[in-house]
Amino acid sequence: MEEKKQVPKATLHRYPIYLKALRRLKAEGVERVMSRELSEYVAIESTTIRRDFSFLGSLGKQGYGYQVDDLIRVFSEELGMNFDEKIILVGCGNLGKALLNYNQWNHVVGEIVCAFDIAPENAGNTSVPVYSLDEFATMKPPGCRIAILCISRDIQKTVDLLVDNGITGLVSFASEHFTVPEGIHVKHIDVVSSIQELVFEANAMHQ
């Protein structure tokens, strides 16, 4: 069995770019791709692509190219991520609806498969089913680990409910602080703080 080489950091940083492109190609029905074709798609030199791929073993044949499915599988294994993640959204207000309408994620991290709200009847027309938050324990799809929080009240209570029912990763747009047990991962999206940082940096440049 061929032993894989140590992958340089610069190369590793390009792997998600390749995977994103490959998943788009697959969605378009492409089964096989040459390095020069992929080069045009990702704006990376074909020689760099071939060198990057070489760290993962013999993935293609000269003059034949690479099987798209094979590359997707290899890159997914190398990056250690599930790129078909089933995501849950909690809170179907204006922001939640905007995320549901987007729900593309560039063929990389999966998709939102359902949503929950305290008043699902007010959600209107959505691209996925919307259930009552009271039904979370029974209506959460099996295997779902990631939830996007777009709520403004009862945040700690809601987080506790999600964690108690198998959610291990949270992307939070909530403005209030909340706590989670060890082993639960949280990414806070704070638009106000980001704007404040930009204002500070812009002011600093003009002093």
Side-chain angles (χ1 to χ4, degrees):
M1 182 177 178
E2 184 177 356
E3 184 178 350
K4 290 196 302 184
K5 308 171 187 176
Q6 184 67 33
V7 182
K9 285 185 179 180
T11 294
L12 197 58
H13 288 165
R14 286 190 288 269
Y15 283 173
I17 298 173
Y18 298 142
L19 183 55
K20 178 178 176 178
L22 289 163
R23 289 186 68 86
R24 283 179 172 172
L25 288 169
K26 181 177 179 179
E28 294 170 5
V30 177
E31 297 180 356
R32 179 167 55 89
V33 65
M34 306 289 286
S35 59
R36 66 175 181 274
E37 295 169 334
L38 188 58
S39 173
E40 295 175 0
Y41 212 80
V42 298
I44 297 173
E45 292 289 339
S46 58
T47 52
T48 300
I49 291 174
R50 290 193 294 271
R51 184 173 65 248
D52 288 348
F53 285 12
S54 71
F55 288 100
L56 300 177
S58 300
L59 300 179
K61 297 178 182 178
Q62 188 172 1
Y64 178 82
Y66 304 91
Q67 287 295 128
V68 171
D69 280 341
D70 290 346
L71 289 179
I72 290 173
R73 175 183 54 78
V74 170
F75 283 131
S76 296
E77 291 174 355
E78 180 67 24
L79 293 168
M81 297 178 66
N82 178 6
F83 287 87
D84 291 311
E85 195 75 47
K86 304 305 180 185
I87 305 165
I88 295 168
L89 184 134
V90 180
C92 290
N94 291 334
L95 176 58
K97 287 179 182 177
L99 291 174
L100 287 179
N101 288 334
Y102 175 69
N103 202 14
Q104 297 177 42
W105 316 111
N106 289 325
H107 304 288
V108 176
V109 296
E111 62 180 351
I112 299 172
V113 293
C114 67
F116 293 85
D117 195 271
I118 57 174
E121 65 275 8
N122 296 331
N125 294 326
T126 59
S127 58
V128 300
V130 180
Y131 305 112
S132 171
L133 192 56
D134 293 336
E135 300 177 292
F136 188 82
T138 55
M139 300 306 295
K140 180 182 83 74
C144 285
R145 306 174 300 167
I146 308 297
I148 302 174
L149 282 180
C150 298
I151 56 177
S152 58
R153 62 178 179 175
D154 296 329
I155 296 172
Q156 185 65 61
K157 178 181 176 182
T158 302
V159 168
D160 292 343
L161 172 67
L162 302 184
V163 171
D164 288 344
N165 286 280
I167 295 299
T168 58
L170 294 163
V171 177
S172 175
F173 288 88
S175 57
E176 294 181 16
H177 175 73
F178 59 84
T179 60
V180 295
E182 186 176 352
I184 304 299
H185 304 280
V186 180
K187 295 293 183 183
H188 293 281
I189 310 299
D190 190 339
V191 177
V192 173
S193 293
S194 296
I195 294 174
Q196 288 175 334
E197 290 174 6
L198 284 173
V199 170
F200 176 81
E201 292 169 0
N203 288 341
M205 288 178 62
H206 292 88
Q207 288 180 356

